[in-house]
């Protein structure tokens, strides 16, 4: 079938869009739900610029209309987004004795060596949470399967060792069943947290906490007031980017990541340009000086609005022992979200016990892996000839030095882990498919 408009030609009704700039005209955003912010065309344009690797955008059409979509990114040992790279995820899952599922994946998929999973085609987005194919209102089960089949074909053509869906939510039963049926093996990759915004806003949220937690939150807010710290949610602007870049860099370096204020500021400035008023920051100021921030990204789709916490930074010298983290990234954001009728605040992966103690719900996510035969029928070599016009098979490019060696690992779209918080109201029950505690 020959593509038209922004589409490249394809061998079936799964077509490839050349780049993120072509997605709006191809009807991509019509496939999104409110939970799919990190697969919006605008955010994919941010990722494309900052990813350091090849990205593919596949769309399934029926009767000439787009009904489903799948984004994929090429991962080799040069890409720095370790929290969605199959070898790094499996290695983490094997730490501290691992699990039977991870051991089985190591033995049966990786042949005893996680590095053997590379290079890999990472599908469904490399953001940290809710890996999925996009399915519009008129999509059927066969539409998503056609996208997965085409992605596997691309991976073989390019000489990939594996195909990976890094963070599939266990509640996405259709995708879970499809991947199992196609021979994928899986292991636990993360727990993902989100906070339903109560209709009664802050007061209802606070009332749902334990007596101990309510008292602690009130003491935290009193300490900030006495220190003359004010926290407000406002638009992300280019004028804020230099200072926020310094704070972002502080946090990255604290946790051992290479970073530069200039790179962080440049990325924040680019996000403000691309995202407009859908990129906000919760900013802490002390006597007028910015000492902390958290970014909040707004998603609107199908009549619903949800917010996503993304990145953050702090002036640790000015902060001292002030309890900035939760006020900046949760409490003030929750208050604003309730006022604007937002339904959900996404808190992402990491530090699940502390998030559960503050009203979040959580579900398991699993990495799904398919090992490819790189020498058998349909296999390819590691070097693919550059695509001719109209050919959907493109050459994976190497990560750029900037993406590999500076700033936050590209694609690490979660908020940073909060401070250690042992005093949770209930322990995390890792066997639960969905967990909540208030």
């Amino acid at each position: 079938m020959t593509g038209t408009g922004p589409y490249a030609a394809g061998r079936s009704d799964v077509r490839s869009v050349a780049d993120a700039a072509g997605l709006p005209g191809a009807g991509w955003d019509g496939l999104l739900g409110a939970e799919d912010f990190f697969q919006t065309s605008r955010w994919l344009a941010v990722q494309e610029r900052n990813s350091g690797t090849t990205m593919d955008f596949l769309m399934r059409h029926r009767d000439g209309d787009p009904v489903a979509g799948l984004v994929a990114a090429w991962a080799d040992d040069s890409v720095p987004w370790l929290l969605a790279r199959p070898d790094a995820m499996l290695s983490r899952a094997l730490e501290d004795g691992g699990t039977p599922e991870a051991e089985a994946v190591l033995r049966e998929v990786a042949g005893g060596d996680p590095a053997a999973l590379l290079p890999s085609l990472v599908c469904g987005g490399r953001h940290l949470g809710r890996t999925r194919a996009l399915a519009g209102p008129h999509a059927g089960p066969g539409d998503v399967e056609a996208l997965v089949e085409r992605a596997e074909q691309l991976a073989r053509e390019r000489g990939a060792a594996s195909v990976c869906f890094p963070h599939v939510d266990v509640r996405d039963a259709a995708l879970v069943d499809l991947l199992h049926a196609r021979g994928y093996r899986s292991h636990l990759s993360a727990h993902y947290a989100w906070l339903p915004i109560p209709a009664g806003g802050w007061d209802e949220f606070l009332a749902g906490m334990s007596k101990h937690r309510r008292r602690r939150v009130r003491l935290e807010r009193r300490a900030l007031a006495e220190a003359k710290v004010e926290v407000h949610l406002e638009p992300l602007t280019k004028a804020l980017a230099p200072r926020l870049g310094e704070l972002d860099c502080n946090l990255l370096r604290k946790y051992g990541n290479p970073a530069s204020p200039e790179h962080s500021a440049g990325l924040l400035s680019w996000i403000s340009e691309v995202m407009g008023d859908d990129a906000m920051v919760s900013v802490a100021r002390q006597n007028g000086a910015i000492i902390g921030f958290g970014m909040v990204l707004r998603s609107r789709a199908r009549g619903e609005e949800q917010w996503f916490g993304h990145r953050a930074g702090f002036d640790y010298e000015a902060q001292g022992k002030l309890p900035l983290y939760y006020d900046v990234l949760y409490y003030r954001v929750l208050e604003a979200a309730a006022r604007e009728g937002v339904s959900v605040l996404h808190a992402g992966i990491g530090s699940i016990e502390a998030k559960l103690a503050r009203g979040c719900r959580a579900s398991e996510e699993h990495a799904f892996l398919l090992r490819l035969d790189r020498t058998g029928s349909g296999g390819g070599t590691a070097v693919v000839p550059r695509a001719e016009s109209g050919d959907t098979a493109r050459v994976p490019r190497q990560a750029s030095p900037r993406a590999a060696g500076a700033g936050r690992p590209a694609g690490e779209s979660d908020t940073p882990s909060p401070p250690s918080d042992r005093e949770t109201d209930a322990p995390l029950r890792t066997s639960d498919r969905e967990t909540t505690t208030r």
Side-chain angles (χ1 to χ4, degrees), residues 368-390:
F368 280 78
L369 289 149
L370 179 70
R371 184 67 181 269
L372 300 178
D373 181 1
R374 302 175 72 183
T375 58
S377 174
T381 60
V383 179
V384 182
R386 183 165 297 278
E388 301 296 333
S389 176

Side-chain angles (χ1 to χ4, degrees), residues 162-177:
S162 68
V163 178
C164 175
F165 286 72
H167 296 290
V168 178
D169 195 301
V170 294
R171 296 170 303 144
D172 190 350
L175 183 57
V176 168
D177 291 345

Side-chain angles (χ1 to χ4, degrees), residues 33-38 130 132 171 299 301 306 308 344 346:
E35 293 188 356
D36 296 321
F37 173 85
F38 292 112
R130 306 226 166 144
R132 63 185 294 268
R171 296 170 303 144
S299 175
Q306 300 185 11
F308 291 76
V344 177
H346 292 264

Side-chain angles (χ1 to χ4, degrees), residues 11 22 76 102 129 135 141 198 202 219 237 252 260 308 315 392 398-399 407 415:
R11 283 175 262 182
D76 57 23
W202 173 256
L219 289 174
T237 64
L252 290 170
S260 73
F308 291 76
D315 181 332
T392 60
Q398 295 296 313
T415 53

